[in-house]
């Protein structure tokens, strides 16, 4: 049966993230007057792939509520996202069904674990570019259900349309994402990116990328743009062809955007690339350091982080004008009992304020999961319990589990002590060498920043008086030594409003888990330092 000629109403709903997650950043959003960190780039890209006449309504459940009227309007509900959104995706499937609406689920979580979402009528698995046409044709032909799976790693991203930025309310977000490439050439055992997007990075064309930035600019957006690539430097050749054009575009428009991204540590070895990123106005890079222990890095197939001084590498990135956010993992098989000390030393030596320290997690469909399964050590993965910071270690550990948790706790306790955190911010404030760039003053942005500054002062002095002296010591140090880094020192200080509180929540939960394990084995509980 062919469906009637009226173009369908598509309700796209981006599920809520688990609030118990490192990236929830609620207090940071509060300071900057945002409702969520970032808009759903995947969904607005998918929206651009649907037939022109289809009516689209986008609701981000992290910033808005979906109503009965929205469901009443819809002919179909499209949803899906990442693993920390799994619970809400399942809630949305039930909700849509209670209104009698068919559901289409896609995105990385459904691609990794399709069985979890079997309640939906349609599953669109893999990269949408390779398969969305099949779904559209099936829908138009009257299909009531179906599973559409894209061939792996072959989607031609040079054909990806410009995301529908017009569907966004920019004022709801801290930053906006764009994507240049997919895939990463490395082979880290725990990584699901290479399983989803492959190890041969595919990049958009320069013209395509600049057209996206043109569209973002024309839509009125200014400020922080995140390249959401899992490793922006995965295809260095393509990136080095693009960055000079990005630099020229920024110069022509008087630097309306400042960029952040994720990259592998070998970025620090390439001075030319660092200079190009600096010129294009990249200000922050997320790097997966994972472990300071070479044996662990080798066994987890992260060799790109070995044979180097991590502190020197990170300082080269600071000198190029970008501050570093880094991921660290506790729980590898090869870890020694001194892992906590080594990790804390590494974080201090690199002076990385925002260190995302988590537990090793066997994500669905990874080499790690397959190995642990073979070794009969795999435990259920509970996507709803949080992220790798709040709910990792879903396997039988080689070291006593209690010791691994106690090491994780020790790292959190040490690196998120406010004195230690703000001391690292002060160090970065002195060594970060931001370029001097001409900028256009946008009064709406200035007003937003003034409001953010007022809320920061309120939070640091009134609602969290315990941070007052650390904060002011950082402000004074920055103004004395490098006042032009003030904006970045404020950003890193505001991060602590989330990280300090989040660390305390994790520590409390770890204390409970450790006490339970002690009780289980009847061991004499080692007294733990109470959370500050
Ligand atoms: S470098 Fe990052 S994206 Fe690449 S394989 Fe390793 S963890 Fe995955």
């Amino acid at each position: 049966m062919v469906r009637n000629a009226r173009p369908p109403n598509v309700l796209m709903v981006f599920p809520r993230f688990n609030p118990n997650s490192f990236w929830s950043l609620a207090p940071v959003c509060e300071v900057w007057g945002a409702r969520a960190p970032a808009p759903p780039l995947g969904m607005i890209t998918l929206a651009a792939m649907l037939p022109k006449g289809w009516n689209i309504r986008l609701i981000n459940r992290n910033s808005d509520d979906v109503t009965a009227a929205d469901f009443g309007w819809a002919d179909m509900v499209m949803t899906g996202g990442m693993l920390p959104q799994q619970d809400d995706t399942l809630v949305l499937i039930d909700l849509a069904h209670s209104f009698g609406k068919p559901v289409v689920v896609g995105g990385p979580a459904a691609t990794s674990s399709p069985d979890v979402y079997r309640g939906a009528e349609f599953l669109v698995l893999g990269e949408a570019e390779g398969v969305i046409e099949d779904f559209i044709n099936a829908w138009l032909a009257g299909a009531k259900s179906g599973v559409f799976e894209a061939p792996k790693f072959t989607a031609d991203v040079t054909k990806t349309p410009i995301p529908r930025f017009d569907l966004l309310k920019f004022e709801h977000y801290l930053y906006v994402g764009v994507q240049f490439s997919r895939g990463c050439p490395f082979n880290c055992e725990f990584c699901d990116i290479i399983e989803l997007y492959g190890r041969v990075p595919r990049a958009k064309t320069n013209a395509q990328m600049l057209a996206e930035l043109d569209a973002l600019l024309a839509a009125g957006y200014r400020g922080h743009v995140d390249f959401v690539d899992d490793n922006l430097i995965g295809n260095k050749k393509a990136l080095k062809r693009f960055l000079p054009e990005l630099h020229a575009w920024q110069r022509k428009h008087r630097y309306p955007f400042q960029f952040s991204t994720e990259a592998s540590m070998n970025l620090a070895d390439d001075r030319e690339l660092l200079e190009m990123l600096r010129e294009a106005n990249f200000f922050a890079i997320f790097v997966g350091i994972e472990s300071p222990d070479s044996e662990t890095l080798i066994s987890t197939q992260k060799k790109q982080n070995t044979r180097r001084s991590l502190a020197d590498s990170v300082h080269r990135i600071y000198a190029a004008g970008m501050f570093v956010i880094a991921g660290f993992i506790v729980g590898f098989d090869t870890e020694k009992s001194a892992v906590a000390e080594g990790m804390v030393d590494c974080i201090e030596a690199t002076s990385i304020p925002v260190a995302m320290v988590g537990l090793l997690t066997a994500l669905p469909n990874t080499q790690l999961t397959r190995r642990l399964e073979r070794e009969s050590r795999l435990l259920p993965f509970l996507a709803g319990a949080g992220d790798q910071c709040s709910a990792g270690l879903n396997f039988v550990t080689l070291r006593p589990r209690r010791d691994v948790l106690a090491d994780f706790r020790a790292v959190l306790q040490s690196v998120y002590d406010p004195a230690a955190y703000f001391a690292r911010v002060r160090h970065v404030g002195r060594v970060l060498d931001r370029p001097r760039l001409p900028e256009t003053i946008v009064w709406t942005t200035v007003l937003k920043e003034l409001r953010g500054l007022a809320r920061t002062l309120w939070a640091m002095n009134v609602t969290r008086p315990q941070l007052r002296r650390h904060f002011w010591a950082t402000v004074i140090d920055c103004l004395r030594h490098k006042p032009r880094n003030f904006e970045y020192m404020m950003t890193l200080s505001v991060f602590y409003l989330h990280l300090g509180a989040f660390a305390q929540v994790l520590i409390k939960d770890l204390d409970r888990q450790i006490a339970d394990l002690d009780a289980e084995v009847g061991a004499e509980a080692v007294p733990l330092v109470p959370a500050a």
Side-chain angles (χ1 to χ4, degrees), residues 86-167:
Q86 180 175 298
D87 277 8
D88 200 45
T89 308
L90 297 176
V91 168
L92 282 166
I93 293 173
D94 288 345
L95 210 50
H97 286 167
S98 72
F99 288 92
K101 305 297 173 169
V103 183
V104 189
V105 174
T111 303
S112 292
S113 328
D115 287 342
V116 173
Y117 304 94
R118 289 286 173 203
E121 282 72 13
F122 298 95
L123 289 181
V124 180
L125 308 175
E127 295 172 80
E129 290 89 343
V131 73
I132 196 67
E133 280 295 319
D134 296 347
F135 163 73
I136 293 167
N137 291 335
W139 174 269
L140 292 174
K144 294 273 193 288
S145 63
V147 177
F148 306 88
E149 192 163 0
K152 278 188 156 194
F153 318 148
T154 55
D156 181 358
V157 295
T158 65
K159 302 276 185 320
T160 306
I162 295 174
R164 291 276 310 270
F165 295 118
D166 58 295
L167 294 172

Side-chain angles (χ1 to χ4, degrees), residues 183-194 230-231 262-264 288 290 301-302 304:
C184 174
F186 294 111
N187 192 25
C188 305
E189 191 194 26
F190 52 84
C191 178
D192 62 347
I193 297 304
I194 47 180
D230 293 291
N231 185 0
E262 244 177 87
S264 43
E290 326 306 4
Q301 297 160 202
K302 190 138 201 158
Q304 68 270 28

Side-chain angles (χ1 to χ4, degrees), residues 52 80 91 99 134 149 157 167 171 193 212 226 278 299-300 324 354 364 412 449 456 474 479 488 502 504 517 529:
K52 289 278 170 285
V91 168
F99 288 92
D134 296 347
E149 192 163 0
V157 295
L167 294 172
E171 66 278 14
I193 297 304
E212 284 192 24
D226 183 51
R278 174 189 179 85
S299 82
T300 198
V324 174
V354 183
L412 292 172
E449 288 187 356
T456 305
T474 306
L479 293 177
Y488 305 97
F502 184 56
Q504 290 311 317
L517 288 169
V529 187

Side-chain angles (χ1 to χ4, degrees), residues 111-373:
T111 303
S112 292
S113 328
D115 287 342
V116 173
Y117 304 94
R118 289 286 173 203
E121 282 72 13
F122 298 95
L123 289 181
V124 180
L125 308 175
E127 295 172 80
E129 290 89 343
V131 73
I132 196 67
E133 280 295 319
D134 296 347
F135 163 73
I136 293 167
N137 291 335
W139 174 269
L140 292 174
K144 294 273 193 288
S145 63
V147 177
F148 306 88
E149 192 163 0
K152 278 188 156 194
F153 318 148
T154 55
D156 181 358
V157 295
T158 65
K159 302 276 185 320
T160 306
I162 295 174
R164 291 276 310 270
F165 295 118
D166 58 295
L167 294 172
L168 301 179
K169 296 171 190 151
F170 292 129
E171 66 278 14
H172 285 182
Y173 301 105
L174 290 177
Y175 58 87
V176 172
V178 294
Q179 187 176 45
F180 175 61
S181 65
R182 287 185 210 152
C184 174
F186 294 111
N187 192 25
C188 305
E189 191 194 26
F190 52 84
C191 178
D192 62 347
I193 297 304
I194 47 180
E195 309 283 342
L196 289 164
Y197 305 113
R199 293 186 54 206
V200 181
R202 289 159 285 137
K204 292 177 179 170
T205 66
N206 293 358
Q208 189 184 6
M209 210 53 245
L210 295 180
E212 284 192 24
L213 297 178
D214 282 338
L216 199 50
L217 195 65
Y221 184 74
R222 303 289 183 277
H224 180 182
V225 174
D226 183 51
F227 276 82
V228 302
D229 307 43
D230 293 291
N231 185 0
L232 184 72
I233 69 165
N235 183 342
K236 274 196 191 183
K237 238 175 156 178
L239 184 65
K240 283 186 176 178
R241 275 198 307 265
F242 170 56
L243 286 175
E245 290 198 29
L246 179 62
H247 176 206
W249 185 94
Q250 284 270 70
R251 215 174 35 216
K252 178 174 157 202
H253 297 283
R254 293 185 68 80
Y255 297 87
F257 301 142
Q258 47 179 343
F259 301 113
S260 61
T261 194
E262 244 177 87
S264 43
M265 187 52 102
N266 55 318
L267 164 65
D269 309 332
D270 193 328
R271 285 185 192 281
E272 185 191 17
L273 190 51
L274 284 171
E275 186 54 30
M276 286 176 161
L277 291 168
R278 174 189 179 85
E279 286 178 335
N281 202 17
F282 277 76
F283 76 102
I285 306 279
F286 183 99
V287 182
I289 290 182
E290 326 306 4
S291 174
D293 177 40
S294 293
E295 191 190 337
T296 295
L297 291 169
I298 290 166
S299 82
T300 198
Q301 297 160 202
K302 190 138 201 158
K303 292 190 191 142
Q304 68 270 28
N305 285 10
T306 60
R307 295 189 301 277
R308 67 172 65 249
S309 155
L310 289 167
D312 287 352
S313 299
V314 170
H315 277 81
R316 279 203 289 275
I317 301 177
Y318 293 152
M322 293 160 273
F323 68 76
V324 174
I325 297 176
F328 290 87
I329 299 176
V330 179
F332 290 107
D333 284 354
T334 43
E335 227 161 61
K336 320 277 184 317
S337 55
V339 62
E341 204 186 326
M343 200 169 279
V344 171
D345 288 350
C346 176
I347 293 168
E348 290 304 321
T350 50
S351 268
I352 292 171
V354 183
M356 181 193 179
V357 188
L359 290 164
L360 184 62
T361 308
L363 297 171
N365 187 29
T366 56
Q367 299 173 75
L368 175 64
T369 289
R370 293 191 283 273
R371 173 168 70 79
L372 292 168
E373 217 161 19

